[in-house]
């Protein structure tokens, strides 16, 4: 007897829930009908008002124009920007259509040239080996030597054989193919070392033209390499990267042409700053994408432990007539499309005699030393640019709008927004008052017209 009573209770409970849902639905349905009928009445009154009041149509059009003008002065819009930064490290992808675009040009007096990665070298000249004298007999019988570097961890370097002599080693040129990425491009001012990683999304054909030319001159050179194979000497597959082989080469052919392939690290020890002009080394005006000024410090244990830091020393970004100052180690966040041109690239070396820069800030004078690093001038398009010591908490920003993108100054845009906002208030006030006056003149009660549909008016 207990089970049937429970069934009856559950049945009554379900019936109650169903009736409650039906009642809620009916209330929503009835309220919706009342709201729609009320909107129809209001719309009909507005239509009749504009039919009998042609001047109101003109006022409404002026009101819409003013609203659109204010919206154009507030709504974000893509605009051009440019900037100058001094950074410790950068990265970018060459996005131009030109094949073999010149990137590095005539770095003379290199004290050391080092490459990590797979590579094949063909050297011509006279060879000796101070590290393995037993190879000297074989080396004396050849004038051409092919060195095959087998692994990504393979390494080779070239330095002058006489460390006291002035280096004549020259990086004549390095060229880029479309979609080649230059990553971790950095300059160390303490040892005057330039380093970067050469990446490619697609494997380069071995039959492709060499993209790097190294001028060896006739100066004797010391070449050191690991992870190698020397077919002419019968040394096969020495993949032990800790086992170095040194060769002294007096080259006959002054040019060494190389095809730098994917995942290759290059390190260049530059000459002393007072002996060269650093401005002529890098070719500017590059079409780029994915411009980066950050560095990720990896622990190698857990990805969540990796730490990203900004490599910016200082800089300024300009959009229209507004400037945004970037302080040391602040992150620079640029909305897409972002940086599109790398206009200028130069190394700022360490000064032997420190120069002092004076900056007048109001009544105070700031004294600072010029920063060392890489000078970068960029240009592109963006809606918004933000800076901050934490990328999740930006402290300052630049944002463009339609009026600014048409070339109007920031003060003019502010004046336009203020002027048209005042006109909007005036036109809207006039339109509402005139509409209410028209309702009274035509015996339409505003209170009944605008009463709430949820609480119908009761006649007394």
């Amino acid at each position: 007897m207990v089970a049937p009573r429970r069934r009856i209770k559950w049945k009554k409970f379900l019936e109650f829930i169903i009736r409650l849902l039906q009642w809620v639905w009916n209330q929503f349905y009835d309220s919706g009908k009342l709201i729609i009928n009320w909107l129809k009445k209001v719309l009909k009154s507005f239509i009749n008002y504009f039919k009998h009041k042609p001047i109101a149509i003109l006022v409404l059009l002026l009101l819409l124009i003013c609203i659109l003008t204010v919206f154009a002065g507030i709504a974000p819009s893509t605009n051009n920007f440019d900037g100058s930064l001094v950074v410790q490290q950068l990265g970018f992808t060459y996005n131009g259509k030109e094949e073999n675009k010149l990137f590095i040009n005539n770095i003379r007096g290199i004290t050391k040239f080092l490459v990590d990665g797979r590579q094949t070298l063909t050297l011509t000249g006279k060879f000796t080996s101070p590290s393995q004298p037993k190879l000297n007999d074989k080396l004396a019988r050849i004038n051409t030597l092919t060195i095959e570097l087998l692994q990504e961890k393979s390494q080779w370097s070239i330095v002058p054989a006489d460390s006291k002599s002035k280096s004549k080693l020259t990086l004549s040129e390095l060229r880029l193919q479309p979609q080649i990425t230059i990553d971790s491009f950095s300059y160390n001012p303490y040892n005057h070392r330039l380093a970067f990683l050469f990446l490619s999304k697609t494997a380069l054909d071995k039959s492709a033209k060499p993209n790097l030319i190294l001028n060896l001159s006739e100066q004797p050179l010391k070449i050191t390499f690991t992870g190698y194979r020397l077919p002419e000497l019968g040394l096969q597959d020495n993949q032990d990267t800790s086992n170095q082989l040194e060769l002294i080469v007096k080259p006959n052919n002054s040019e060494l042409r190389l095809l730098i392939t994917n995942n290759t690290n290059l390190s260049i020890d530059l000459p002393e700053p007072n002996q060269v002009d650093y401005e002529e080394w890098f070719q500017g005006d590059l079409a780029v994408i994915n411009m980066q000024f950050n560095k990720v410090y990896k622990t190698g244990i857990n990805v969540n432990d990796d730490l990203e830091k900004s490599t910016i020393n200082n800089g300024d970004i300009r959009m229209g007539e507004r400037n945004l100052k970037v302080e040391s180690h602040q992150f620079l966040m640029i909305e897409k499309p972002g940086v599109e041109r790398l206009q200028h690239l130069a190394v700022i070396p360490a000064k032997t005699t420190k120069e002092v820069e004076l900056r007048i800030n109001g009544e105070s004078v700031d004294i600072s030393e010029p920063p060392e690093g890489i000078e970068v001038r960029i240009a592109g398009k963006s809606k918004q640019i933000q800076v901050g010591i934490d990328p999740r908490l930006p402290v300052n920003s630049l944002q463009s709008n339609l009026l600014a993108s048409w070339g109007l100054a920031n003060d003019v845009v502010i004046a336009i927004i203020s002027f048209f906002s005042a006109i909007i208030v005036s036109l809207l006030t006039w339109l509402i008052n005139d509409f209410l006056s028209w309702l009274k003149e035509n015996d339409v009660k505003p209170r009944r017209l605008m009463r709430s549909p949820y609480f119908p008016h009761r006649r007394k």
Side-chain angles (χ1 to χ4, degrees):
M1 296 298 292
V2 178
R5 289 180 181 177
R6 288 182 178 176
R7 291 195 195 101
I8 292 170
K9 289 181 179 179
W10 277 106
K11 185 176 180 181
K12 289 182 178 181
F13 177 73
L14 291 174
E15 289 176 354
F16 170 75
I17 294 297
I18 292 171
R19 286 197 301 269
L20 179 61
L21 293 174
Q22 289 176 345
W23 180 83
V24 172
W25 168 256
N26 291 333
Q27 293 299 315
F28 274 109
Y29 181 76
D30 293 339
S31 299
K33 287 177 63 178
L34 289 172
I35 292 173
I36 291 172
N37 291 333
W38 177 74
L39 290 175
K40 286 181 179 179
K41 289 180 181 180
V42 174
L43 183 61
K44 186 177 180 180
S45 298
F46 270 113
I47 292 173
N48 291 331
Y49 167 68
F50 286 116
K51 283 182 179 179
H52 293 87
K53 287 274 195 172
I55 191 173
I57 298 176
L58 179 61
V59 173
L60 182 62
L61 290 175
L62 289 175
L63 183 62
L64 292 175
I65 291 172
C66 293
I67 292 173
L68 290 175
T69 303
V70 172
F71 179 79
I74 298 175
S77 174
T78 301
N79 199 1
N80 297 330
F81 73 88
D82 59 16
S84 178
L85 304 169
V86 177
V87 302
Q88 299 168 2
Q89 179 177 299
L90 62 95
F92 63 88
T93 299
Y94 172 56
N95 196 40
K97 297 180 180 180
E98 182 181 346
E99 301 283 341
N100 296 316
K101 178 67 175 178
L102 183 62
F103 176 51
I104 297 180
N105 181 41
N106 287 334
I107 302 181
R108 299 182 177 89
I110 295 173
T111 57
K112 184 177 182 180
F113 186 82
L114 186 146
V115 179
D116 291 351
R118 293 187 177 94
Q119 188 60 251
T120 299
L121 311 177
T122 301
L123 301 172
T124 303
K126 296 181 179 180
F127 305 92
T128 58
S129 176
S131 63
Q132 296 190 27
K134 61 181 181 180
L135 297 177
N136 287 335
D137 290 339
K138 293 182 179 180
L139 291 171
R141 293 194 292 266
I142 62 174
N143 58 9
T144 299
L145 182 64
T146 300
I147 305 169
E148 297 178 4
L149 302 168
L150 308 173
Q151 310 172 51
E152 291 186 356
K153 294 182 179 180
S154 296
Q155 185 180 92
W156 63 278
S157 64
I158 299 179
V159 298
D162 184 2
S163 59
K164 296 181 180 180
S165 64
K166 183 179 179 181
S167 175
K168 297 180 181 179
L169 195 62
T170 301
L171 176 55
S172 299
E173 63 181 49
L174 174 63
R175 296 183 177 271
L176 303 178
Q177 301 296 331
Q179 301 307 310
I180 289 294
T181 296
I182 300 296
D183 192 23
S184 303
F185 188 92
S186 62
Y187 168 69
N188 189 331
Y190 299 104
N191 53 18
H192 310 300
R193 179 170 296 164
L194 183 72
F196 57 92
L197 176 61
F198 194 91
L199 298 172
S200 174
K201 292 183 178 179
T202 57
L204 296 177
D205 189 357
K206 292 183 179 180
S207 62
K209 294 181 179 179
N211 50 9
L212 186 145
I213 299 177
L214 198 62
N215 192 320
L216 307 179
S217 72
E218 297 179 355
Q219 183 181 31
L221 301 170
K222 181 172 73 173
I223 301 180
T224 304
F225 42 89
T226 61
Y228 56 87
R229 179 168 56 195
L230 302 175
E232 286 90 350
L233 301 181
L235 299 179
Q236 301 294 327
D237 297 344
N238 189 341
Q239 299 187 16
D240 184 5
T241 55
S242 62
N243 185 14
Q244 286 189 347
L245 177 62
E246 290 184 1
L247 294 178
I248 303 298
V249 184
K250 188 175 182 181
N252 292 337
N253 187 359
S254 62
E255 282 191 348
L256 178 61
R257 294 176 175 266
L258 304 174
L259 178 62
I260 302 299
T261 57
N262 183 35
N263 203 23
T264 300
N265 281 287
L266 288 89
S267 176
I268 305 168
D269 286 7
L270 304 174
E272 290 297 324
N274 55 358
Q275 299 177 359
V276 293
D277 185 2
Y278 281 51
E279 292 285 335
E280 300 178 356
W281 286 351
F282 305 102
Q283 187 75 14
D285 195 25
L286 296 175
V288 298
I289 55 174
N290 301 327
M291 197 82 181
Q292 300 290 332
F293 302 109
N294 304 331
K295 182 177 181 179
V296 178
Y297 293 87
K298 297 182 178 181
T299 61
I301 302 172
N302 192 327
V303 177
N304 296 327
D305 296 331
D306 295 346
L307 181 63
E308 185 176 14
K309 291 186 178 181
S310 170
T311 63
I312 297 176
N313 287 337
N314 63 36
D316 291 283
I317 302 293
R318 182 178 62 186
M319 180 185 288
E321 291 192 347
R322 295 183 60 196
N323 288 347
L324 181 65
K325 189 171 183 60
V326 188
E327 302 289 348
S328 177
H329 299 298
Q330 280 188 327
F331 287 90
L332 177 63
M333 290 82 72
I334 304 176
E335 289 190 5
K336 292 184 177 181
V339 180
E340 295 180 334
R341 307 293 301 186
L342 178 57
Q343 299 288 1
H344 173 79
L345 188 66
V347 167
I348 302 177
K351 300 290 192 301
T352 53
T353 302
K354 293 292 183 181
E355 296 177 0
V356 177
E357 180 183 356
L358 299 179
R359 293 177 297 177
I360 300 176
N361 184 13
E363 297 180 354
S364 64
V365 178
D366 298 331
I367 302 176
S368 63
E369 297 175 351
E372 303 158 351
I374 303 170
E375 183 183 39
V376 184
R377 296 176 195 163
I378 56 177
K381 296 179 180 179
S382 180
K383 288 184 179 180
Q384 188 178 49
I385 302 174
Q386 297 177 310
V387 298
I389 203 71
D390 190 322
R392 296 162 296 185
L393 301 170
V395 296
N396 208 349
S397 66
L398 282 179
Q399 183 169 304
S400 180
N401 52 68
L402 284 173
L403 296 181
S405 65
W406 294 341
L408 297 179
N410 189 48
D411 294 340
V412 175
V413 173
I414 294 174
I416 289 174
I417 293 174
S418 302
F419 175 73
F420 279 94
S421 297
I423 293 179
I424 289 172
V425 173
S426 300
L427 293 177
L428 194 59
T429 302
W430 182 91
L431 195 62
I432 292 173
N433 291 334
D434 192 65
F435 175 65
L436 294 176
S437 300
W438 179 83
L439 291 178
K440 290 180 181 180
E441 291 173 1
N442 292 270
D443 197 23
V444 180
K445 295 182 179 180
R447 288 181 62 188
R448 180 171 296 181
L449 178 67
M450 298 183 181
R451 69 190 178 191
S452 172
Y454 298 100
F455 303 97
H457 179 73
R458 294 181 181 179
R459 295 183 181 178
K460 294 182 179 181

